[in-house]
């Protein structure tokens, strides 16, 4: 007699529980908004990346934050200091290549988020200035080449590098994304099952044309790289199973069950090791690990499922919130364009419905082709045969309509509309943030690094 099949270590209800706080209430969500801003740590004169270690490194910045703020909590990976939880809410952490990331607490509206984020970023920049370096948001380290990266000692970093390198050509750019790419990500709420399903498919479909409004990574190693978004070009060659647009999320009938099925089919990259760091997971789908375990006698628990969801780098990442990841990080002066755009589009049902009518029927292959075209040509690209600039401009109009509706109902403050101004300029002119950077470089190459940093650094 064959042995009875081993039940998975997590039930379907336990897998669903990650999303239950939002979907169980059957409401449209709380309407909160959060942001994550990744900033390059740079020498203000040369643009050289600041290392992790040393008296003027990014670790010293974290040490200062942890020691100088009552209630701040340092965060370690094994023995390496890699982050600080802030007493006022939110956190500061380090990316693999040394970027400094600020993660905000959830805020009630875009205007409040702008105030909270600006205050936190200016405080960070002042602390960085004490060590003599600048923090510059954007979409990629502008003056660093791939071979010049000083890696932060995260225990997961070598595991992830081996994962991407082991994929061959389909994962060939993953290491560059880890080390050089920057982003500004927005987190939004969802409510009951129908609300979640609609937001998943609309935001997934909108991510590609929206990216044309934010293109902002034309440099690598201080020189034009041939792309308007090197970040998007790298992402288009990085582990296509877990990056970019997810075909499942574009379906009319998408729901949380379909998302769970898709996520169970992806391999986990790393899991917690006995010493508290991260180690490589067996190269099996997560659903297989639930039955067969990690090979050391242990099997995944709820925290492993949450960690696995964090190892998905798609345009829309679903966990306790919807995380919007597709667009390039804008310059400092336009940072709040990202949360304003996504909030207006996501939290206004008529705008969502109109966006879906605009984009429904466009398949994943067409989205992926458009991403590569946008990375090269920005607003001149095409999506499924349509000018992407026109599609993006219509999404921007729908977003503004959504923001105005939220203002009318008292859920948003009027100044939120001002944050869309940089995107209106891009949509009207077709000139992207990236093209403006290239124009300034050509005007005076000799002094460009210092001028670029002075223009775009976070003021302290």
């Amino acid at each position: 007699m064959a042995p009875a099949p081993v039940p998975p270590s997590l039930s379907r209800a336990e897998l669903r529980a990650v999303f239950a706080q939002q979907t169980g209430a059957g409401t449209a969500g709380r309407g909160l908004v959060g942001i994550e801003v990744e900033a390059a740590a740079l020498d203000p004169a040369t643009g050289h990346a600041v290392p992790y270690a040393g008296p003027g490194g990014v670790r010293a910045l974290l040490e200062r934050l942890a020691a100088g703020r009552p209630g701040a909590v340092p965060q370690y990976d094994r023995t390496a200091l890699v982050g600080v939880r802030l007493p006022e809410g939110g956190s500061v952490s380090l990316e693999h290549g040394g970027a400094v990331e600020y993660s905000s607490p959830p805020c009630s509206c875009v205007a409040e988020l702008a105030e909270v984020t600006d205050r936190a970023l200016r405080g960070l920049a002042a602390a960085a200035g004490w060590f003599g370096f600048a923090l510059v948001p954007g979409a990629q380290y502008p003056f660093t080449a791939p071979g010049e990266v000083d890696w932060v000692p995260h225990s997961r970093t070598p595991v992830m590098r081996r994962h991407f390198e082991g994929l061959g050509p389909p994962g060939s750019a993953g290491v560059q994304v880890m080390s050089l790419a920057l982003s500004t990500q927005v987190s939004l709420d969802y409510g009951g099952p129908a609300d979640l399903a609609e937001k998943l498919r609309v935001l997934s479909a909108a991510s590609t044309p929206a990216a044309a409004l934010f293109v902002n990574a034309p440099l690598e190693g201080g020189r034009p790289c041939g792309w308007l978004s090197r970040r998007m070009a790298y992402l288009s060659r990085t582990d296509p199973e877990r990056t970019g647009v997810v075909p499942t999320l574009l379906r009319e009938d998408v729901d949380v069950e379909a998302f769970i099925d898709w996520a169970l089919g992806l391999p986990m990259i790393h899991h917690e090791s006995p010493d508290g760091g991260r180690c490589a997971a067996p190269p099996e789908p997560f659903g297989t690990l639930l039955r067969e375990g990690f090979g050391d006698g242990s099997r995944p628990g709820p925290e492993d499922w949450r960690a696995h969801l964090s190892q998905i780098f798609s345009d829309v990442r679903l966990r306790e919130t919807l995380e919007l990841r597709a667009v390039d990080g804008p310059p400092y002066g336009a940072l709040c364009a990202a949360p304003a755009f996504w909030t207006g589009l996501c939290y206004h049902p008529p705008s969502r419905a109109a966006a879906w009518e605009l984009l429904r029927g466009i398949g994943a292959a067409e989205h992926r082709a458009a991403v590569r075209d946008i990375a090269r040509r920005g607003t001149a690209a095409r999506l499924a045969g349509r000018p992407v600039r026109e599609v993006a401009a219509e999404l921007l109009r729908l977003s503004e309509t959504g923001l105005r509706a939220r203002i009318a109902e008292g859920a948003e403050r009027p100044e939120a509309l001002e944050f869309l101004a940089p995107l209106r300029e891009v949509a009207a002119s077709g000139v992207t943030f990236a093209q403006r950077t290239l124009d300034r470089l050509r005007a005076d190459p000799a002094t460009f690094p210092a001028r670029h940093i002075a223009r775009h650094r976070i003021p302290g």
Side-chain angles (χ1 to χ4, degrees):
M1 180 181 295
V6 177
S9 56
L10 293 173
S11 68
R12 192 76 179 191
E14 289 173 309
L15 297 173
R16 198 182 299 115
V18 171
F19 321 109
Q21 180 180 356
Q22 299 284 359
T23 59
T27 69
R30 295 166 293 169
L32 302 180
V33 57
I35 196 170
E36 296 179 3
V37 179
E38 297 173 2
L42 303 176
D43 181 297
T46 65
H48 292 160
V50 174
Y52 172 76
V58 290
R59 181 182 63 192
L61 170 64
L62 295 183
E63 290 170 345
R64 182 176 177 86
L65 292 176
R69 307 280 295 279
V73 180
Q75 306 291 301
Y76 292 91
D77 185 338
R78 294 180 175 147
T79 61
L81 180 63
V82 295
V84 177
R85 194 162 64 242
L86 301 175
E88 67 271 23
S91 64
V92 177
S93 59
L94 300 181
E95 290 296 300
H96 301 278
V100 178
E101 178 181 273
Y102 168 70
S103 300
S104 78
C107 295
S108 62
C109 66
V110 175
E112 180 192 12
L113 178 69
E115 293 173 351
V116 168
T117 300
D118 192 59
R119 183 164 56 247
L121 290 178
R122 286 174 180 269
L124 267 180
W130 195 86
F131 295 101
F133 63 85
L135 296 178
V136 183
Q140 178 157 307
Y141 268 78
F143 305 108
T144 304
E148 299 171 347
V149 175
D150 183 79
W151 294 91
V152 172
H154 284 292
S155 58
R156 70 183 188 275
T157 297
V159 178
M160 292 182 66
R161 292 181 66 179
R162 288 193 296 270
H163 166 79
F164 288 125
E165 290 164 351
L167 294 174
S172 59
V175 174
Q176 281 73 32
V177 172
M178 288 173 59
S179 58
L180 296 178
L182 306 170
S183 66
T184 295
Q185 300 162 12
V186 176
S187 294
L188 301 172
D189 280 337
Y190 52 87
D195 183 67
L196 171 58
E198 183 181 356
K199 287 174 178 174
L200 272 175
R201 64 175 179 252
V202 171
L203 296 175
S204 296
S207 287
T208 299
L213 296 173
F214 290 85
V215 168
N216 189 34
L219 305 177
E220 186 169 275
R223 296 183 293 275
C225 62
W227 302 83
L228 291 180
S229 177
R230 190 58 161 146
R231 171 185 172 271
M232 290 177 65
Y234 277 144
L235 279 168
S236 71
R237 296 189 289 111
T238 300
D239 198 352
E241 284 192 322
R242 70 180 74 231
T243 59
V245 65
V246 177
T248 297
L249 302 189
L250 296 172
R251 288 169 26 188
E252 293 270 2
D253 62 347
V254 67
D255 58 15
V256 71
E257 301 299 334
F259 174 81
I260 289 173
D261 288 339
W262 173 76
L264 289 175
L266 289 177
M268 190 179 196
I269 301 176
H270 52 81
H271 69 107
E272 188 172 6
S273 57
D275 63 0
R278 308 297 295 181
C279 62
E284 303 290 342
F286 193 82
T288 301
L289 297 179
L290 290 176
R291 296 187 301 273
E292 299 182 1
F294 291 122
D296 60 0
S298 66
R299 293 198 291 166
E303 290 308 310
D304 295 301
W305 173 234
R306 286 181 169 82
H308 176 58
L309 295 176
S310 297
Q311 295 164 34
I312 294 170
F313 312 116
S314 52
D315 289 346
V316 180
R317 180 156 67 182
L318 174 59
R319 295 178 293 183
E320 289 87 352
T321 60
L322 289 163
E323 187 178 279
L324 290 311
R325 305 170 51 85
V327 305
D328 278 359
Y332 172 73
L335 274 182
C336 286
F341 175 85
W342 288 122
T343 297
L345 194 63
C346 180
Y347 285 154
H348 185 232
S351 290
R352 291 203 307 269
W356 182 242
E357 289 304 314
L358 180 69
L359 298 166
R360 71 190 311 167
I362 301 176
E366 293 170 300
H367 276 277
R368 291 187 182 276
V371 165
R372 291 189 291 271
D373 197 11
I374 293 167
R376 180 77 71 182
R377 300 196 296 147
T379 56
R382 301 184 76 83
L383 169 63
R386 288 184 272 176
V388 77
R389 180 177 167 189
E390 294 179 8
V391 178
E394 178 60 12
L395 291 176
L396 179 58
R397 187 190 69 79
L398 293 172
S399 172
E400 182 168 344
T401 298
L403 279 182
R404 290 186 184 279
R406 283 176 58 79
I407 292 167
E409 66 188 28
E412 185 57 78
R413 303 201 316 243
E415 57 263 36
L417 290 169
E418 300 170 10
F419 301 134
L420 295 178
L423 303 185
R424 294 192 202 102
E425 185 176 348
V426 172
S429 68
V431 180
T432 61
F433 300 129
Q435 188 59 56
R436 292 178 195 142
T437 294
L438 292 174
D439 291 345
R440 295 184 187 110
L441 170 63
R442 293 176 183 127
D444 187 359
T447 65
F448 177 75
R451 287 189 295 111
H452 179 82
I453 293 169
R455 175 182 290 272
H456 295 301
R457 68 186 295 172
I458 301 167

